[in-house]
Amino acid sequence: MNRNDQILMTEKFVRENMKGYDSGHDWWHIERVRNLALFINKMEELADPFIVEITALLHDTADSKFAAVSNEQGYTAIDDFLDECELSEIKEQVLTVIKNVSFSSVDKTGNPYDHLLWVIQDADRLDAIGAIGIARAFNYGGFRNNKIFNPEVMNFDEVSAENQLSGTASTISHFYEKLLLLKYRMNTLTAKKLATERHEFLEIFLKQFYNEWNFALGKNL
Ligand code: ADP
Ligand code: NI
């Protein structure tokens, strides 16, 4: 099987596997991450572009937040799929990245595939900030039926797991839990540069949001 066929087969596998996901995790998220990852990799020359492309395509297919199956079942499906595509030799590299790409896995270091992880992680994180990141966050919040904003929870340093469980979390609180931190977590210089403008846009958005909230509700947030 040639590389072009392997890419086409992977696209098909990903489309089928992500059918039940929220629309912030739709095919266009994958397409953006693929292109951002290839761009970052071209600038930084960190990994084999073919492996970058395959990994970017597969990076969200085993996410148990959306998939009907557990993460483990998702990994097994990817493992089997890569065998089917005659890509067994890159399986370990690809799966290591998929298992570690998420925000909660930032501190995993010391594995030999770091460079591939850096590129995919940066591309995925860039898509979570800026105007697209904001759109995705509110979309996800709607998918979970979360509040847009909860002025009773303003201590954002302590937001997170507890508030998620008690249902007081809001999409605005997600900015403080995650989105505003991403700029500082970029691995590559190329992504750091791209993150600057997107991060500023998050801040502009929040400022305007609070202005409008204060004006309408007479509260000084
Ligand atoms: P990661 O792959 O880094 O773990 P997630 O899959 O958790 O990221 O998040 C993917 C997208 O969904 C991002 O755009 C993120 O901001 C958004 N998202 C995740 N959790 C929430 C939340 N509680 N509220 C709003 N958006 C969220
Ligand atoms: Ni993603």
Side-chain angles (χ1 to χ4, degrees), residues 25 63 65 102-103 124 128 136-137 140 164 171 174 178-179:
H25 280 88
D63 193 331
K65 279 201 298 308
S102 113
F103 179 67
D124 201 27
R136 292 182 67 219
Y140 182 93
Q164 292 285 348
T171 300
H174 183 68
K178 175 172 165 178
L179 306 189

Side-chain angles (χ1 to χ4, degrees), residues 33-79:
V33 170
R34 162 172 38 189
N35 289 319
L36 287 167
L38 286 170
F39 174 78
I40 293 165
N41 192 53
K42 200 170 163 193
M43 300 297 287
E44 308 263 341
E45 295 184 355
L46 286 168
D48 175 341
F50 173 72
I51 302 181
V52 167
E53 193 165 358
I54 294 284
T55 313
L57 285 170
L58 290 168
H59 85 273
D60 269 336
T61 39
D63 193 331
S64 60
K65 279 201 298 308
F66 310 105
V69 297
S70 68
N71 282 348
E72 284 311 320
Q73 286 169 305
Y75 300 145
T76 307
I78 293 171
D79 195 296

